[in-house]
Amino acid sequence: MTGMLRAEEVSRVPRPRTAPPAWVLVALACAGQFLVVLDVSVVNVALPSMRADLGLSEQGLQWVVNAYAIAFAGFMLLGGRAGDLYGRKRMFLVGLGLFTLASLGGGLAQESWQLLLARAVQGLGAAVLAPSTLTIVTSAVPEGAARARAIATWTAVGAGGGAAGGFVGGVLVDLWSWRWTLLINVPVGAAVLLGALWWLTESRAGDGRRLDVPGAVLVTAGLATLAYGISQTEAEGWTSAATVVPLVAGAALIGMFLLVEARTTAPLMPLGLLRLRSVASANTAMFLSGAAMFCMWFFMTLYAQNVLGYTPVQAGLALVPSSLAIVLGSKLAPRLMRVLGERKVAVLGTVVAVTGFAWQSTMRVDGSYVVAIMCPGILMMLGAGLATTPLAALAISGAAPGEAGLVSGLVNTSRTMGGSLGLAVMSTLAAARTGDDAGPGALTEGYALVFRVGAGVLAVGAVLMVVWLPRKRMGAEAVPEV
């Protein structure tokens, strides 16, 4: 009888599930990464439809993009640290759940503020989700050729999300409405959540340090407040209280962030890293590059639809060549780096992008697709792809091995923060040039000004790279994924 009871007791003990194949874990992580990157660009072709439906102003349109980008940039480093401390699976689920719910809220929004709030929460979810995806990939596959292929797949999926965003958004807007650019995330996110709950196993690498939540909140609030102040300058002027107060408040919040980082025991951004020439110069160059490059998709989409009269799906298709160009540039960069060195490739990529921006600034009301969109777009994004990888490699080369992940995250944060402030500035310049005239001619002049200023910003970045970037990496670190 005792033997029978023991047998029954043993049979009731839940047996562990068989470990899933590595490709399943990689697929789940890649799906999460795809959603995060897709939502940076998928809404661009939907902006005119959003404006018509919700009554967004020209300045308000930038916040559909910037609300997501600022929250993403401000909390990205915190999200990576949270995954180390509390578990990558847990943060993957929390981030994806938040992202999916915010997508539902944005898709159902009836007022402009509801959409902007949903986009900010989406960005927060993405900041929690994104850092865990790469860690899950590297944990699922043993070190060696198999892991290299898995990371390459993760990188390609991320690039594909950015490239597919315009086309996917255009199809969804044309077939249904702009709301589906957000609602499409709900069934996909739910399916990935269920798969992650079932198959992912928990892992963490915490060392007992606390999260720097005050730092993340201060830098995000400071960035958003500065961007808001900049956007007010066109309507209110530089000396009005509506402009000065948010600009001063934003600067004060950034100052408080630096003070917190200098005093906390586990800073979000260790300021000591910025004393290293490689880290400081590469992040400054990445900030300037992001300030110009991030605006490209936004204004190219508006030009295609508001001036040339493209439908959303036509606008999405029009940007596919430039989307593929950034993938090509990213693949060519490591090969050129072995021949020319990191600094020369970064400068070369930036000069190529300057050429594209200068060409784009000659846009006309009656521009043809090849001359007015395709060719300059390819140059702009080919240059972006060529410049990003060497800048990240130079930044990481100056840091200690244990800080490589932190510096890589800092590079991505600098690029996104530069893009957020750059979009605020460029939108203000375009609106000031256009004025109250919403005709194609006035809009074209405003958009052309943006690309002239972008060319100037990138030219300054190229000069900075020549005089400040180290001539070569200080170690033999692997080229980072960015």
Side-chain angles (χ1 to χ4, degrees):
M1 178 66 72
T2 303
M4 292 177 63
L5 287 173
R6 286 178 179 171
E8 290 176 0
E9 290 171 358
V10 170
S11 68
R12 295 193 195 104
V13 176
R15 296 176 181 176
R17 294 193 303 269
T18 304
W23 69 265
V24 172
L25 304 181
V26 173
L28 287 170
C30 287
Q33 178 70 1
F34 183 84
L35 286 174
V36 166
V37 178
L38 181 75
D39 263 63
V40 176
S41 59
V42 73
V43 298
N44 281 328
V45 294
L47 292 174
S49 301
M50 290 176 175
R51 179 182 183 182
D53 194 13
L54 298 180
L56 286 161
S57 65
E58 196 69 34
Q59 291 84 3
L61 286 181
Q62 66 168 292
W63 286 100
V64 178
V65 177
N66 248 355
Y68 182 90
I70 289 174
F72 189 19
F75 288 97
M76 190 187 304
L77 294 177
L78 187 73
R81 188 69 191 134
D84 290 340
L85 290 176
Y86 304 125
R88 282 68 180 260
K89 175 181 178 178
R90 181 176 297 172
M91 290 300 103
F92 184 94
L93 295 173
V94 169
L96 183 56
L98 196 60
F99 181 90
T100 303
L101 288 174
S103 298
L104 178 62
L108 299 178
Q110 299 301 310
E111 301 288 343
S112 58
W113 68 266
Q114 295 170 350
L115 175 61
L116 299 183
L117 177 61
R119 288 288 287 169
V121 177
Q122 264 192 314
L124 175 59
V128 175
L129 169 64
S132 298
T133 60
L134 181 56
T135 309
I136 289 170
V137 168
T138 56
S139 300
V141 183
E143 190 171 357
R147 179 178 291 180
R149 288 193 297 271
I151 293 176
T153 300
W154 178 87
T155 304
V157 166
F167 174 68
V168 172
V171 170
L172 292 172
V173 174
D174 265 5
L175 289 180
W176 294 297
S177 76
W178 67 263
R179 297 182 182 278
W180 280 97
T181 61
L182 300 173
L183 292 176
I184 193 66
N185 295 327
V186 177
V188 177
V192 177
L193 268 172
L194 290 175
L197 279 168
W198 182 257
W199 280 306
L200 288 185
T201 56
E202 191 58 276
S203 66
R204 56 171 59 91
D207 55 9
R209 293 193 299 172
R210 292 188 299 176
L211 287 175
D212 182 19
V213 176
V217 171
L218 285 171
V219 71
T220 305
L223 190 65
T225 307
L226 280 176
Y228 175 75
I230 292 169
S231 69
Q232 290 292 98
T233 58
E234 189 273 328
E236 304 292 342
W238 284 95
T239 58
S240 70
T243 299
V244 173
V245 170
L247 288 177
V248 171
L253 288 167
I254 296 296
M256 292 171 63
F257 164 71
L258 296 175
L259 185 63
V260 167
E261 298 307 283
R263 296 189 174 185
T264 188
T265 56
L268 191 68
M269 187 184 75
L271 299 182
L273 287 175
L274 298 181
R275 299 191 188 100
L276 299 172
R277 176 183 174 184
S278 59
V279 176
S281 60
N283 275 278
T284 303
M286 194 69 84
F287 183 91
L288 292 175
S289 178
M293 298 291 189
F294 194 74
C295 302
M296 180 267 188
W297 307 110
F298 183 85
F299 289 103
M300 289 287 277
T301 302
L302 294 180
Y303 171 62
Q305 294 187 70
N306 293 342
V307 176
L308 300 183
Y310 286 20
T311 66
V313 72
Q314 288 172 334
L317 284 171
L319 296 178
V320 168
S322 54
S323 300
L324 296 177
I326 194 171
V327 178
L328 175 62
S330 300
K331 296 301 180 184
L332 286 176
R335 299 179 183 181
L336 292 175
M337 287 160 58
R338 289 192 288 269
V339 178
L340 301 176
E342 287 78 9
R343 188 180 68 161
K344 289 183 179 179
V345 175
V347 174
L348 172 64
T350 305
V351 170
V352 170
V354 168
T355 306
F357 270 78
W359 186 344
Q360 189 64 61
S361 71
T362 65
M363 61 175 61
R364 298 161 53 96
V365 174
D366 57 350
S368 66
Y369 168 65
V370 173
V371 174
I373 291 182
M374 188 182 79
C375 291
I378 288 175
L379 288 176
M380 285 186 279
M381 290 299 100
L382 179 64
L386 286 172
T388 299
T389 300
L391 287 175
L394 285 170
I396 290 177
S397 70
E403 295 174 330
L406 174 62
V407 174
S408 182
L410 184 60
V411 166
N412 282 305
T413 300
S414 297
R415 178 174 56 183
T416 309
M417 286 185 173
S420 301
L421 289 180
L423 181 57
V425 172
M426 300 297 190
S427 296
T428 301
L429 291 175
R433 174 58 63 90
T434 301
D436 296 328
D437 187 353
L443 291 174
T444 301
E445 289 181 9
Y447 301 153
L449 174 62
V450 164
F451 286 99
R452 283 197 295 275
V453 173
V457 171
L458 288 173
V460 170
V463 173
L464 180 148
M465 293 176 200
V466 170
V467 300
W468 196 9
L469 285 178
R471 293 185 178 273
K472 58 183 180 179
R473 283 188 284 162
M474 294 189 291
E477 294 84 352
V479 175
E481 303 291 343
V482 294

